[in-house]
């Protein structure tokens, strides 16, 4: 009887797409929601590379969680990092911003903690090859890109200039392909006629990938189209190569024939691979859940951990039916988890239907007039692909200000090539 009178406690770990859509599904439900995140903002991660490339500002791709959820009166936002879970006692342990440890009880737990950058066992590469998963990462990458051109301008040694004007990216998924295209556009269009001692258009952009295809998840047709688009703007694609060493002067790769090759590059960026955060291991230890090779939590068709129907894992951290780590998967799994908790609390009978992912497509923007899009049976590239890409991203940007601001910024970029978000400090 008390269960029907007292308000249930729902804890959601992570304020990304999965966590946000779970919160929205619980809007006005008779529950008290605690949203735990180490950041105060919701980030539109698919556009991080545009922030790094100086197109969009951080405010256009990130919104304060308290603003996004201001009408959700049953939600409490907690700035903290989830560190452990007591599945038997139904308590999440979190380290708050002041360093204290808090114990947050729950009746239902939704884990939407996301994934972090993986260097495939070579974490030492991170010092010289930053990834791009957070806003802070994007600022680091932006500084490295634009500082390279400044260093080339200042150098009087032709060999040193060439090293500064060489950019190497590891990983030919959407982020790697999109960022490689943007660096070439910066070099050939944005910085045109801005330097007196160096020609930015001479910049080399090298893209390395272990597999034999760029954008392999898009299918062979769009993969070939993307490869042609990259070649058309001057990106040098090296497929079937595994990175074996990264240092301050460049990287070494191993080809499929076993040979190795050294590439001198002052700027190396890492866009390959993800792995689960430490919290996933703690969750698996407490619940007995299985993890896949990347540390993702294996879940049942209703997204619960077997033996723990009160715990649901959603988004990138979830391992189910080989679903990809994409924003659409996160949105749909988060909404599904929130809805079914609501149904359970409202006393709706019957077993929950298994989660079914509705594939709404994939899109990658390479450079002006060059994009590839897969939406169901529709495969598009070139200008049409760019227009579809624009519609998709405008539709999912959070907040009216973000949509309007992004549209205006993209319009200026298309017309003039100007990028206003290029400020950095030489000492930072």
């Amino acid at each position: 009887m008390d269960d029907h009178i007292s308000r249930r406690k729902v804890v959601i770990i992570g304020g990304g797409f999965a966590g946000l859509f779970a919160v929205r599904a619980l809007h006005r439900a008779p529950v008290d929601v605690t949203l735990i995140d180490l950041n105060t903002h919701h980030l539109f991660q698919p556009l991080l590379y545009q922030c790094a490339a100086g197109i969009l500002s951080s405010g256009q791709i990130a919104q304060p969680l308290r603003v996004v959820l201001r009408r959700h009166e049953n939600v409490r936002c907690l700035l903290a990092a989830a560190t452990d879970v007591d599945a038997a006692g139904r308590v999440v342990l979190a380290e708050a911003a002041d360093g204290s440890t808090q114990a947050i009880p729950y009746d239902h737990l939704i884990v939407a903690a996301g994934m972090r950058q993986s260097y495939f066992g070579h974490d030492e590469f991170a010092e010289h090859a930053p990834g791009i998963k957070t806003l802070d990462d994007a600022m680091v990458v932006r500084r490295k890109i634009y500082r390279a051109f400044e260093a080339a301008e200042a150098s009087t040694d032709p060999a040193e200039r060439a090293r500064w004007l060489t950019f190497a990216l590891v990983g030919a998924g959407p982020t790697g392909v999109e960022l490689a295209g943007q660096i070439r556009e910066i070099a050939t269009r944005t910085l045109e006629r801005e330097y007196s001692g160096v020609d930015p258009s001479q910049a080399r952009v090298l893209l390395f990938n272990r597999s034999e295809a760029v954008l392999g998840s898009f299918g062979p047709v769009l993969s070939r189209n993307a490869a042609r688009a990259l070649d058309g703007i001057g990106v040098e694609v090296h497929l079937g190569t595994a990175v074996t060493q990264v240092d301050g002067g460049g990287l070494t790769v191993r080809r499929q024939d076993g040979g190795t090759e050294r590439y001198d590059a002052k700027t190396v960026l890492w866009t390959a691979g993800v792995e689960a955060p430490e919290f996933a291991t703690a969750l698996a230890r407490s619940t007995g859940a299985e993890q896949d090779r990347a540390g993702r939590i294996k879940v049942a068709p209703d997204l619960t951990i077997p033996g723990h129907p009160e715990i649901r894992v959603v988004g990138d951290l979830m391992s189910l039916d080989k679903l990809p780590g994409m924003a659409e998967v996160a949105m749909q799994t988060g909404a599904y988890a929130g809805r079914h908790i609501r149904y359970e609390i409202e006393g709706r009978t019957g077993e929950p239907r298994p989660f079914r992912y509705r594939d709404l497509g994939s899109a990658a923007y390479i450079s002006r007039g060059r994009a590839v899009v897969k939406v169901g049976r529709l495969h598009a590239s070139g200008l049409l692909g760019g227009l579809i890409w624009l519609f998709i991203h405008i539709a999912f940007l959070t907040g009216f200000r973000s949509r309007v601001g992004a549209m205006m910024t993209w319009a200026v970029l298309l017309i003039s090539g100007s990028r206003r978000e290029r400020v950095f400090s030489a000492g930072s």
Side-chain angles (χ1 to χ4, degrees):
M1 186 72 174
D2 289 341
D3 286 344
H4 297 287
I5 297 174
S6 61
R7 292 171 66 88
R8 302 285 185 89
K9 296 180 176 64
V10 179
V11 172
I12 300 175
I13 299 174
F17 285 116
L20 185 62
F21 273 68
V23 170
R24 288 175 172 172
L26 291 165
H27 185 43
R28 294 178 180 168
V31 297
D32 291 318
V33 178
T34 300
L35 177 62
I36 302 173
D37 199 298
L38 192 55
N39 300 298
T40 62
H41 57 265
H42 166 70
L43 176 65
F44 194 91
Q45 201 172 69
L47 290 178
L48 259 181
Y49 78 94
Q50 293 214 356
C51 187
I55 300 173
L56 299 177
S57 69
S58 58
Q60 289 172 309
I61 65 169
Q63 292 287 313
L65 280 168
R66 296 185 186 279
V67 172
V68 175
L69 302 175
R70 63 188 179 275
R71 293 188 177 89
H72 292 68
E73 297 178 358
N74 61 339
V75 177
R76 170 198 178 211
C77 293
L78 178 63
L79 181 65
T83 57
D84 206 346
V85 59
D86 176 4
R90 297 194 178 188
V91 172
V92 170
L93 300 179
E95 183 178 342
D98 62 2
S100 64
T101 298
Q102 296 193 20
I104 302 106
Y106 65 85
D107 296 301
H108 297 274
L109 174 62
I110 298 177
V111 181
M115 301 285 278
R116 63 184 180 185
Q117 196 73 63
S118 172
Y119 289 86
F120 305 110
H122 291 280
D123 290 347
E124 69 275 12
F125 292 174
E127 179 183 356
H128 304 291
I132 181 167
K133 298 291 287 182
T134 67
L135 271 181
D136 289 341
D137 293 341
M139 296 300 104
V140 169
V141 170
R142 177 191 293 179
R143 187 165 60 247
K144 286 182 73 70
I145 291 171
Y146 287 101
R147 186 162 56 185
F149 290 101
E150 297 296 333
E153 170 80 356
S155 177
T156 57
D157 178 4
E160 185 72 1
R161 277 186 172 181
R163 286 190 285 270
W164 278 114
L165 288 177
T166 301
F167 301 82
L169 293 87
V170 183
T175 300
V177 167
E178 290 169 327
L179 191 55
Q182 287 306 305
I183 294 175
R184 276 299 294 168
E185 194 167 294
I186 290 168
T188 58
R189 194 158 183 258
T190 301
L191 301 182
E192 186 180 20
R193 296 189 298 274
E194 288 195 7
Y195 293 87
S196 59
V198 68
D199 181 4
S201 68
Q202 297 302 306
R204 295 178 66 195
V205 180
L206 315 176
L207 182 62
F208 299 91
N209 200 49
R210 182 187 291 265
S211 74
E212 289 292 339
V214 300
L215 298 179
S217 63
F218 283 52
V221 174
L222 290 183
S223 177
R224 288 193 296 270
N225 289 347
R228 281 197 294 268
L230 290 168
D231 181 68
I233 61 175
V235 175
E236 303 172 33
V237 180
H238 300 266
L239 302 176
T241 55
V243 176
T244 59
Q245 182 183 355
V246 180
D247 55 43
L251 75 172
T252 302
V253 301
R254 184 178 62 251
R255 301 186 304 269
Q256 286 188 335
D257 62 9
T260 61
E261 198 163 353
R262 171 74 181 183
Y263 293 86
D264 292 333
K266 283 290 190 178
T267 304
V268 181
L269 305 174
W270 195 274
T271 62
V274 292
E275 64 183 10
E278 293 180 4
F279 179 77
T281 302
L283 178 63
R285 182 174 58 245
S286 181
T287 61
E290 293 185 57
Q291 294 177 270
D292 66 11
R293 291 180 61 183
R296 299 180 183 88
I297 302 295
K298 295 184 178 182
V299 297
D302 64 353
L303 309 187
T304 62
I305 293 178
H308 290 274
E310 77 284 359
I311 302 177
R312 292 167 171 84
V313 183
V314 297
D316 294 357
L317 191 57
M318 167 202 75
S319 177
L320 177 69
D321 299 335
K322 297 182 179 180
L323 289 172
M326 296 171 53
E328 261 304 319
V329 175
M331 294 176 190
Q332 293 181 36
T333 54
Y336 173 95
R339 282 197 308 269
H340 282 279
I341 289 175
R342 184 171 190 156
Y343 295 163
E344 181 180 330
I345 291 171
E346 291 174 351
R348 303 193 190 188
T349 59
E351 291 293 321
R353 293 181 178 179
F355 172 75
R356 286 189 177 181
Y357 172 57
R358 183 184 177 190
D359 187 359
L360 298 181
S362 305
Y365 180 85
I366 300 169
S367 67
R368 188 175 65 149
R370 293 178 172 91
V372 291
V373 176
K374 181 181 71 172
V375 182
R377 295 182 178 180
L378 172 64
H379 290 192
S381 56
L383 180 59
L384 176 59
L387 292 173
I388 297 173
W389 177 93
L390 178 67
F391 173 79
I392 291 172
H393 286 76
I394 286 294
F396 287 110
L397 269 174
T398 301
F400 178 79
R401 174 180 170 273
S402 296
R403 293 189 181 99
V404 173
M407 288 182 67
M408 293 178 65
T409 300
W410 286 331
V412 170
L413 177 68
L414 288 171
I415 295 169
S416 67
S418 175
R419 297 167 191 247
R420 300 299 183 188
E421 302 298 328
R422 292 164 44 188
V423 177
F424 69 92
S425 171
S428 57

